[in-house]
């Protein structure tokens, strides 16, 4: 199906691509790219076992699609629910665990 990406059912119903990224310390981060109502294609450029650097692009989805990021246990997000982010610019989390989770309200 091609539901609006903000619809919770889109996670299971729409075209999606999941990526598991293992950090050098063994922790893992998961990314799920979910295609939306208009963007029906996900382009991913990663190869198996490819080393990825901070801020490096690994694919593209557009037009109302979404990316879900699953952080390792104990890592606080530095973004708020509903906050708009810019790929390659917005810092999502501090993997050193030094900064505390931020709070805010969706506008």
């Amino acid at each position: 199906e091609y539901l609006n990406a903000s619809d919770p059912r889109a996670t299971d119903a729409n075209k999606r691509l999941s990526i598991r990224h293992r950090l050098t310390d063994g922790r893992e981060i998961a990314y799920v790219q979910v295609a939306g109502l208009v963007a029906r294609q996900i382009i991913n450029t990663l190869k198996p076992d490819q080393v990825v650097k901070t801020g490096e692009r690994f694919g593209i989805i557009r037009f109302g699609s979404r990316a879900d990021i699953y952080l390792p246990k104990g890592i606080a997000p530095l973004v708020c629910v509903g906050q708009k982010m810019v790929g390659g610019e917005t810092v999502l989390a501090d993997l050193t665990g030094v900064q505390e989770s931020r709070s805010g309200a969706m506008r």
Side-chain angles (χ1 to χ4, degrees):
E1 293 184 51
Y2 294 103
L3 302 172
N4 184 318
S6 64
D7 186 324
R9 298 173 297 161
T11 300
D12 295 321
N14 288 14
K15 185 174 187 179
R16 64 195 173 282
L17 177 73
S18 301
I19 301 162
R20 186 177 62 192
H21 179 90
R22 184 171 294 114
L23 303 172
T24 55
D25 63 8
R27 294 181 297 170
E28 294 181 338
I29 298 174
Y31 313 92
V32 181
Q33 295 172 297
V34 181
L37 186 62
V38 176
R40 298 182 178 198
Q41 185 175 7
I42 298 170
I43 299 170
N44 183 276
T45 57
L46 290 176
K47 307 280 187 270
D49 299 317
Q50 176 181 339
V51 175
V52 181
K53 297 177 183 160
T54 301
E56 186 175 348
R57 291 182 183 217
F58 58 83
I60 189 167
I61 53 175
R62 301 180 192 209
F63 306 119
S65 298
R66 124 181 152 224
D68 299 334
I69 296 97
Y70 298 89
L71 299 170
K73 187 175 184 174
I75 299 301
L78 300 180
V79 292
C80 302
V81 172
Q83 178 181 340
K84 293 194 182 217
M85 302 178 307
V86 177
E89 292 183 19
T90 306
V91 177
L92 303 178
D94 174 13
L95 294 177
T96 64
V98 175
Q99 293 195 32
E100 294 182 21
S101 180
R102 296 183 183 163
S103 61
M106 188 166 57
R107 297 180 204 182

